[in-house]
Amino acid sequence: MVGEHLPTTVALLRGINVGGRHAVAMPDLAACLADAGLGAARTVQQSGNVLLAADPASGPDLEGTIEAALADRFGFAVPTLVRSRDELAATVAAAPPDHGSDALRSEVFFLKAPLTAREVLDAMPELRDGVDAVATGPGAVYFSRVAAQARRTRIQRLMGMPVFRQMTVRSWRTTTRLLALLDEPLPGA
């Protein structure tokens, strides 16, 4: 695609526009990142998904740049996780075969380095047999629960633990949509 810039990186922002806290309008978010020198950005949904044409090799540095820009502009910390297109594709490819099936409610818990899946599993509270399922993948933990019994899940216990602050959660549908969008040109790029 001559003259078109494909996004190469997705930034996953944690904790914005959730439960009425840390409200950030998506046009303001895109402008903040452009002002920080990150070029064209495409926001996806209201929950802090940003596609960027940024060097995927600059992961931790890019996370720090985004976090600093957001703190300066909005006045609160926004933990940010960055994944290249290839990293996100590897996470999607490594998911359990039934992850995302209609019978399940499925999410991806993306881990902020240096947090590892082993550390998350070690901290994981006891989940409900026959309801909850957990698997690990590259930079992520896959969590699903039987849709018909979703109210019986115990995953909220993990969400109340300190280790949860080093993660951000996306539904399986959002995760696969972000991967598909990484193959489309960025508007305005």
Side-chain angles (χ1 to χ4, degrees):
M1 287 184 225
V2 177
E4 295 181 357
H5 297 284
L6 292 176
T8 56
T9 304
V10 62
L12 305 169
L13 284 55
R14 184 183 190 284
I16 66 166
N17 299 336
V18 177
R21 297 183 49 205
H22 297 139
V24 175
M26 295 302 98
D28 295 341
L29 174 59
C32 172
L33 298 178
D35 292 347
L38 297 175
R42 177 179 179 185
T43 60
V44 181
Q45 299 177 326
Q46 295 294 317
S47 58
N49 305 301
V50 184
L51 305 175
L52 300 163
D55 181 3
S58 64
D61 292 337
L62 183 56
E63 288 177 355
T65 298
I66 293 170
E67 289 172 347
L70 296 173
D72 286 348
R73 175 76 57 100
F74 302 111
F76 51 84
V78 181
T80 302
L81 288 76
V82 171
R83 297 294 189 266
S84 71
R85 189 223 174 273
D86 291 346
E87 289 169 332
L88 187 61
T91 298
V92 168
D98 61 344
H99 203 69
S101 76
D102 290 340
L104 301 173
R105 289 192 187 167
S106 301
E107 285 103 20
V108 179
F109 287 51
F110 289 94
L111 312 180
K112 186 168 176 66
L115 182 65
T116 66
R118 172 60 24 215
E119 290 172 304
V120 174
L121 292 181
D122 289 346
M124 184 80 63
E126 183 179 344
L127 299 175
R128 287 198 187 267
D129 286 337
V131 175
D132 299 321
V134 175
T136 61
V141 172
Y142 307 97
F143 178 77
S144 61
R145 58 209 171 278
V146 176
Q149 299 181 39
R151 291 181 180 218
R152 297 186 59 222
T153 185
R154 291 186 178 155
I155 197 62
Q156 293 85 355
R157 293 179 182 176
L158 175 66
M159 293 176 177
M161 302 175 99
V163 70
F164 186 67
R165 286 178 279 209
Q166 299 173 62
M167 302 179 221
T168 190
V169 181
R170 297 298 184 272
S171 71
W172 182 244
R173 183 177 179 172
T174 296
T175 301
T176 56
R177 181 171 180 230
L178 290 171
L179 180 58
L181 290 172
L182 282 167
D183 290 328
E184 296 179 8
L186 278 171

